[in-house]
Structure formats: structure tokens, C-alpha cells
């Protein structure tokens, strides 16, 4: 499925993966003619790209975006879905759910750079990312109930955790599409920026992340995510264990040494 290109890009037909020298991995959903809808082929390509990130310690932050100016991702491929029987639907929803879960479980931070509309599975994909930046032209929504189904890729669980139960219920029951400003107001995205600055903003935040100790960043992500849904004492114990992982690292000593020498630290992920 993957073709290794000369410039270091790895491409499948609908997923473009581009690793930068500083450890930032760009993943682009590349089906603009179909509003970057999640076809089975795209999901399999995305799953492969995420697996590659998961096991490559030189990848320190991931930015996921959509090709074109209109859509980040229009969710499940409704044309493909129309020809499926119940068994195929279950299998496909499971593929979407598992792929989006594996995105959330990546050790590295993931930034959604939402270049346009994100509906259904598109918003669910963004919900599984650590940080969401939306173009001012973007629209978001869990539109599934308008199609006679429910969010099947984590939306009923992740949206209430992010924006509160009442707001999530209103958005899911009505299938209402909201603009980027409203998404910012309710905490569904962290930033809105003009379309032209979207990737710069995403790469700026990613650049700040990759400057830091990679073990520290992945342990911070682990502690926040694993501690979020448990009681405070359990969460604090999770944090303590995560901190413990950083103590024997060369990077911790490098941080102290660099501070003493008034220079930028050079973290190696060990
Ligand atoms: C994850 C689970 C469920 C879901 O995700 S359900 C799907 C939720 N998605 C939606 O409700 C969005 C549906 N699409 C739209 O509202 C609009 O198409 C759009 C994305 C706002 C774009 O509108 P615009 O007017 O700019 O352009 P077109 O409508 O002409 O679209 C361009 C092109 O793209 C095709 N397309 C759009 N969305 C999809 C889609 N989801 N699947 C397949 N194809 C899509 C559209 O048909 C056009 O192509 P043509 O060949 O020109 O017809 C849970 C679970 O898994 O169940």
C-alpha cells in the first residue's frame, strides 16, 4: 500500500505522510474530491500511518490535516456505506472506531489542523487529538442522528468530556453544525486562525512541543489521559509513576546541565 518517495514522503493513494527533520510528522487526509471522507482505503492507510508513528521514537509530534480548502474530513464515506449490509456496516464502524482510538492512544501529542468542515467521524477524529486548531472557515458537528445513526467513533464519550454533558447532548441530539467561533467558545477547539495561517499555527505549536524532552512529553500525555477519568488520588499516583519514568533519563540530566550552562538543551529521548 505504501510507496516510499524520493523526498522522504510516504504516500498511499488517500493518505500522505511527511516526516520533517525536527520530528514533526504531517499526516494529510488526501481525498479532497470526496471532502476527505473516511473510505475503507483511507482508514487502512491512516491505520498504517499511525502504526508507523507509534513505533518510531524519532516522531515527536503529529499534525493531522485535510487536503484542499473546503474539508478537514466529512466523516464516514456515506456512498460506500449505502451499498453495505449490516455485517459490513459493523465491520466498517469498528474499523473507524479502532483507528480513531489508536490515534488517541499514540504516545506522541497529535494536533488537528482543521482546514475546513469536519462532520460526523471528522469531528470524532479531531476529538481524539490532543489539540485542535480550526481555520475560521471550518464548521464542526456530530451530524450522525440526522442520518439515523449515532456517533460511532467515540463522539458520545469524548464530546461530553470536552464541552460538558448538556452542551454535548444538545449538539448530538440536534446534529447542529457549528462554526469555528462557536467551537472555540465552547472549548471544542483551542484556537481559530485564518485559513492561510492554519499550518503555520499548527507547526508553531508542534515546534514548541518537539523542543522539549520527548520522554517528558509522552509521560505528561500518559498522566493526563490516564488520570483524567479516575479519582484524584489515583490520578496523582499515575502522575507519580509517570514522573518516575523521567528520573533515570539522560534528558533529565541534560535539562539541568543546559540550565546551568545557559544554553538550549539537546534532548535525545533517552
Ligand atoms: C463516523 C460515523 C458516522 C459519520 O461520520 S456519518 C457522516 C457525517 N458526515 C456528514 O454528515 C457530512 C455529509 N456531507 C456534507 O454535508 C457536505 O457534502 C459537505 C462535506 C459539507 C460538503 O458540502 P459541499 O456543498 O461543499 O460539497 P458537496 O456536498 O458537493 O461534496 C463534495 C463531494 O464530496 C462528497 N462527499 C461529501 N461528504 C461525503 C461523505 N461523508 N461520504 C462520501 N462522499 C462525501 C459529495 O458527495 C461530493 O461528491 P460528488 O461526487 O460531487 O457527489 C459513525 C459510523 O461509522 O457510522
Amino acid at each position: 500500500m505504501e510507496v516510499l518517495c524520493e523526498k522522504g514522503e510516504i504516500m498511499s493513494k488517500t493518505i500522505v505522510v511527511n516526516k520533517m527533520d525536527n520530528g514533526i510528522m504531517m499526516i494529510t487526509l488526501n481525498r479532497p474530491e470526496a471532502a476527505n471522507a473516511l473510505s475503507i482505503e483511507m482508514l487502512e492507510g491512516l491505520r498504517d500511518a499511525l502504526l508507523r508513528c507509534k513505533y518510531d521514537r524519532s516522531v515527536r509530534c503529529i499534525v493531522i490535516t485535510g487536503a484542499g480548502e473546503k474539508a478537514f474530513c466529512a466523516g464516514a464515506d456515506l456512498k460506500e456505506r449505502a451499498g453495505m449490509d449490516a455485517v459490513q456496516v459493523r465491520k466498517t464502524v469498528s474499523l473507524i472506531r479502532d483507528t480513531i482510538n489508536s490515534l488517541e492512544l499514540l504516545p506522541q501529542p497529535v494536533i488537528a489542523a482543521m482546514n475546513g468542515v469536519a462532520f460526523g467521524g471528522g469531528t470524532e477524529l479531531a476529538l481524539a487529538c490532543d489539540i485542535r486548531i480550526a481555520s475560521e472557515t471550518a464548521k464542526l458537528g456530530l451530524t450522525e442522528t440526522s442520518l439515523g445513526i449515532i456517533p460511532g467513533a467515540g463522539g458520545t464519550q469524548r464530546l461530553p468530556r470536552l464541552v460538558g454533558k448538556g452542551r454535548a447532548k444538545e449538539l448530538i441530539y440536534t446534529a447542529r453544525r457549528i462554526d469555528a467561533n462557536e467551537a472555540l467558545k465552547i472549548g471544542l477547539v483551542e484556537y481559530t486562525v485564518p485559513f492561510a495561517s492554519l499550518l503555520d499555527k499548527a507547526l508553531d505549536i508542534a515546534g514548541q512541543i518537539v523542543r522539549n524532552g520527548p520522554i517528558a512529553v509522552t509521560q505528561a500525555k500518559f498522566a493526563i489521559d490516564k488520570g483524567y477519568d479516575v479519582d484524584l488520588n489515583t490520578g496523582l499516583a499515575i502522575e507519580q509513576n509517570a514522573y518516575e519514568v523521567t528520573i533515570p533519563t539522560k534528558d533529565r540530566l541534560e535539562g539541568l546541565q543546559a540550565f546551568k550552562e545557559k544554553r538550549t538543551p539537546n534532548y535525545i529521548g533517552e
Side-chain angles (χ1 to χ4, degrees), residues 9-59:
E9 287 185 7
I10 292 185
M11 301 173 68
S12 74
K13 203 168 143 209
T14 53
I15 294 287
V16 177
V17 183
N18 192 345
K19 188 171 165 200
M20 299 172 189
D21 291 341
N22 60 1
I24 299 171
M25 180 76 101
M26 282 280 300
I27 299 178
T28 305
L29 310 177
N30 187 35
R31 250 191 119 201
E33 71 288 354
N36 298 319
L38 298 165
S39 62
I40 291 174
E41 193 211 34
M42 183 190 272
L43 286 161
E44 287 173 348
L46 182 57
R47 190 188 52 194
D48 290 348
L50 298 177
L51 265 179
R52 178 163 184 260
C53 294
K54 179 176 176 183
Y55 295 114
D56 185 348
R57 288 286 172 261
S58 68
V59 176

Side-chain angles (χ1 to χ4, degrees), residues 31-38 70-71 73-81 89 92-93 96 100 117 119-122 124 143-144 146-147 149-153 177:
R31 250 191 119 201
E33 71 288 354
N36 298 319
L38 298 165
K70 279 171 109 175
C73 173
D77 187 317
L78 297 174
K79 290 181 186 164
E80 223 174 48
R81 190 66 60 87
V89 170
T92 308
V93 179
I96 300 184
I100 289 182
V117 298
F119 294 130
E124 294 182 282
T143 54
E144 284 95 337
S146 71
L147 294 158
I149 52 175
I150 70 165
R177 299 174 177 214

Side-chain angles (χ1 to χ4, degrees), residues 11 14 26 32 52 76 84 105 112 143 157 161 167 171 174 193 208-209 212 225 242 247 250 257:
M11 301 173 68
T14 53
M26 282 280 300
R52 178 163 184 260
M84 290 182 186
L105 291 172
T143 54
Q157 303 308 304
R161 282 167 170 77
R167 192 102 59 182
L171 288 173
T174 62
V193 292
Q208 294 178 53
I209 291 171
N212 296 327
D225 284 347
I247 292 181
K250 291 180 184 158
Q257 194 65 26

Side-chain angles (χ1 to χ4, degrees), residues 2-257:
E2 288 178 347
V3 181
L4 190 57
C5 298
E6 280 174 20
K7 287 182 211 148
E9 287 185 7
I10 292 185
M11 301 173 68
S12 74
K13 203 168 143 209
T14 53
I15 294 287
V16 177
V17 183
N18 192 345
K19 188 171 165 200
M20 299 172 189
D21 291 341
N22 60 1
I24 299 171
M25 180 76 101
M26 282 280 300
I27 299 178
T28 305
L29 310 177
N30 187 35
R31 250 191 119 201
E33 71 288 354
N36 298 319
L38 298 165
S39 62
I40 291 174
E41 193 211 34
M42 183 190 272
L43 286 161
E44 287 173 348
L46 182 57
R47 190 188 52 194
D48 290 348
L50 298 177
L51 265 179
R52 178 163 184 260
C53 294
K54 179 176 176 183
Y55 295 114
D56 185 348
R57 288 286 172 261
S58 68
V59 176
R60 296 189 177 183
C61 185
I62 295 140
V63 175
I64 182 159
T65 193
E69 299 194 357
K70 279 171 109 175
F72 172 65
C73 173
D77 187 317
L78 297 174
K79 290 181 186 164
E80 223 174 48
R81 190 66 60 87
M84 290 182 186
D85 63 23
V87 173
Q88 290 167 318
V89 170
R90 283 190 197 101
K91 210 172 148 194
T92 308
V93 179
S94 180
L95 176 62
I96 300 184
R97 183 183 303 123
D98 292 349
T99 305
I100 289 182
N101 286 347
S102 67
L103 170 67
E104 183 174 54
L105 291 172
L106 282 175
Q108 309 93 335
V110 184
I111 299 172
M114 305 174 75
N115 54 304
V117 298
F119 294 130
T123 286
E124 294 182 282
L125 181 74
L127 284 168
C129 296
D130 296 275
I131 298 165
R132 284 153 293 279
I133 307 165
S135 155
E136 286 165 354
T137 57
K139 287 189 168 49
L140 290 82
L142 291 182
T143 54
E144 284 95 337
T145 57
S146 71
L147 294 158
I149 52 175
I150 70 165
T156 64
Q157 303 308 304
R158 294 191 181 103
L159 187 64
R161 282 167 170 77
L162 201 58
V163 304
K165 209 171 175 180
R167 192 102 59 182
K169 284 181 170 177
E170 186 254 324
L171 288 173
I172 291 171
Y173 298 167
T174 62
R176 189 160 65 85
R177 299 174 177 214
I178 63 174
D179 63 24
N181 266 340
E182 184 173 352
L184 181 67
K185 212 168 87 190
I186 66 174
L188 179 44
V189 301
E190 278 66 47
Y191 294 97
T192 62
V193 292
F195 176 82
S197 334
L198 180 72
L199 284 186
D200 284 347
K201 179 70 180 174
L203 290 174
D204 176 47
I205 295 176
Q208 294 178 53
I209 291 171
V210 300
R211 277 203 290 275
N212 296 327
I215 296 172
V217 171
T218 57
Q219 288 305 312
K221 174 170 175 169
F222 180 86
I224 294 167
D225 284 347
K226 299 297 174 200
Y228 195 75
D229 291 323
V230 299
D231 65 90
L232 181 61
N233 279 335
T234 308
L236 290 171
I238 289 169
E239 181 189 84
Q240 187 184 339
N241 278 351
Y243 192 105
E244 198 58 42
V245 174
T246 67
I247 292 181
T249 64
K250 291 180 184 158
D251 281 349
R252 186 183 68 84
L253 300 178
E254 166 65 7
L256 292 171
Q257 194 65 26

